[in-house]
Amino acid sequence: PIDIAVTLGLALARDNASADELMRCADLALERARLEKRALAIYEAALKPAARDQLSLLGELRHAVEHDELRLFFQPKIEFKTGRVTGVEVLLRWQHPTRGLLGPADFIPFAEQTGFIRRLTRWTLDRAIAQGAKWQRAHKPLSVAVNISADDIGDVRLDSRVAGMLSRHQLPPALLTLELTESGFIEDPTRALRMLDAIASLGVNLSIDDFGTGYSSLSHLARMPVHEVKIDRSFVIGLESDAEFAPVVRSAIDMGHGLGLKVVAEGIETEAAAARLRDFGCDVAQGYLYAKPMPLAALEAWLDGKERVPVIAFPVDFPIEDFADTVSLAVY
């Protein structure tokens, strides 16, 4: 027996609305139904984004994926003790044809609201894994970290998709890290833990992003198959402006180490903050003090002459089907 549930987003045709606009309205209604755990939601004006041009953003995002308008930027991670480069975090940018280069804040929240974030994540994962494999083949291995959302964790095929991409591009699983926020496993921790266990079994590393800002219990964190935690930038910035942040940051680092995890500090902008984090025993540094997020060509120029953390890792051919990207279409 298979238990199947249907969720519907309904948009009513009025005036001279185009088919594309109706589909975007239906997507917004569908997201409302999903968030409220209802079988049906009907589009209404209250669901419409404040600015009218945001309503077309979903269609533009689909166009961006299909017409190569998205760009990968990379921010290096530095090993505190040695100063060696230990990896890069992959960050998404959108080279919009009329608005210029857009940062994640301009489109990621909307992608999460509409459910399109899974498509963006799959695009980013595929390109990031391909680039990591190129460095591996050039005998210059570098770990790549990609952010995934709470919605991605709800994708029952996520582990299969990741396995398929690793096999296709021949990237060793140990060179891939998936970063998720603590809120990513709050809604359904049992299901989230099952998926994270499946991903960890592939040999992929898992990282808790924005550590300390979520609402997860320590019991969940102790059960999660994660390998590192990232101290949120708000705590790092507060190290210099507020003396009360120091014991909090030190406690977070000690907690991470107590759980057997590597600790990364992001958002480091000054030598003073870096020195305190080093004294606290933090393992890895990331921030503008070392390098801003940059496109591939700039990253490779930055890496020239810098020592990387030695890596011994081998590709794995997973006997798992890779699932192609799909676009949600209404069926009547």
Side-chain angles (χ1 to χ4, degrees):
I2 300 176
D3 184 20
I4 298 177
V6 176
T7 304
L8 301 177
L10 180 63
L12 305 178
R14 295 190 179 93
D15 301 324
N16 295 317
S18 67
D20 284 342
E21 186 170 357
L22 281 171
M23 285 300 298
R24 287 191 289 271
C25 291
D27 279 331
L28 291 172
L30 177 61
E31 180 64 15
R32 169 62 66 85
R34 289 176 56 201
L35 290 174
E36 297 182 355
K37 293 181 170 46
R38 292 191 285 141
L40 169 67
I42 300 176
Y43 176 79
E44 54 190 35
L47 295 180
K48 200 167 191 177
R52 183 170 179 82
D53 60 357
Q54 267 194 303
L55 189 59
S56 65
L57 196 56
L58 185 58
E60 292 179 6
L61 274 173
R62 286 185 175 131
H63 183 276
V65 171
E66 294 164 1
H67 293 82
D68 201 29
E69 294 176 3
L70 300 178
R71 303 285 183 268
L72 294 186
F73 273 50
F74 305 84
Q75 187 173 32
K77 297 179 178 182
I78 312 298
E79 197 174 53
F80 261 123
K81 287 184 178 179
T82 64
R84 297 180 299 189
V85 182
T86 186
V88 292
E89 180 178 358
V90 179
L91 302 162
L92 195 59
R93 301 290 187 269
W94 180 5
Q95 189 63 56
H96 195 281
T98 59
R99 304 180 197 177
L101 189 67
L102 301 180
D106 294 317
F107 60 95
I108 293 297
F110 188 78
E112 290 177 333
Q113 176 189 352
T114 57
F116 195 71
I117 189 65
R118 291 188 186 183
R119 185 84 186 274
L120 291 184
T121 298
R122 293 200 291 271
W123 188 95
T124 306
L125 268 173
D126 188 67
R127 269 60 175 188
I129 289 172
Q131 181 56 52
K134 287 181 182 178
W135 287 325
Q136 168 75 3
R137 288 193 293 272
H139 305 292
K140 296 180 178 180
L142 199 60
S143 175
V144 293
V146 179
N147 291 280
I148 59 175
S149 72
D151 199 49
D152 293 313
I153 294 296
D155 181 359
V156 296
R157 295 175 174 175
L158 180 61
D159 57 331
S160 295
R161 296 185 198 280
V162 172
M165 293 177 195
L166 291 171
S167 295
R168 185 168 67 251
H169 295 295
Q170 287 295 282
L171 177 71
L175 292 179
L176 175 65
T177 298
L178 298 184
E179 296 187 4
L180 65 151
T181 60
E182 291 183 73
S183 60
F185 51 91
I186 295 302
E187 185 174 335
D188 189 345
T190 301
R191 185 178 66 177
L193 285 169
R194 282 201 300 266
M195 177 54 69
L196 296 180
D197 282 334
I199 292 173
S201 70
L202 301 175
V204 173
N205 296 305
L206 293 169
S207 174
I208 298 296
D209 200 4
D210 301 336
F211 182 58
T213 62
Y215 304 96
S216 60
S217 68
L218 288 178
S219 63
H220 286 149
L221 185 59
R223 290 163 52 204
M224 292 177 66
V226 297
H227 304 83
E228 72 173 30
V229 291
K230 294 185 74 173
I231 305 240
D232 185 64
R233 66 180 63 249
S234 62
F235 293 109
V236 174
I237 294 173
L239 275 176
E240 293 188 52
S241 61
D242 191 337
E244 294 181 356
F245 274 91
V248 174
V249 173
R250 169 171 266 169
S251 296
I253 293 171
D254 291 343
M255 183 188 301
H257 288 158
L259 293 169
L261 306 176
K262 183 187 298 182
V263 181
V264 181
E266 60 179 349
I268 303 174
E269 298 183 0
T270 66
E271 286 284 1
R276 300 204 74 177
L277 289 162
R278 190 180 296 108
D279 291 342
F280 291 163
C282 191
D283 302 299
V284 178
Q286 182 181 348
Y288 281 18
L289 176 64
Y290 306 96
K292 295 182 178 181
M294 61 190 98
L296 179 62
L299 172 71
E300 294 191 328
W302 184 90
L303 285 169
D304 189 33
K306 290 185 172 60
E307 186 179 358
R308 309 185 190 201
V309 173
V311 175
I312 299 176
F314 302 96
V316 178
D317 289 317
F318 294 103
I320 300 175
E321 179 184 359
D322 183 25
F323 296 92
D325 285 348
T326 57
V327 177
S328 297
L329 298 175
V331 179
Y332 301 97

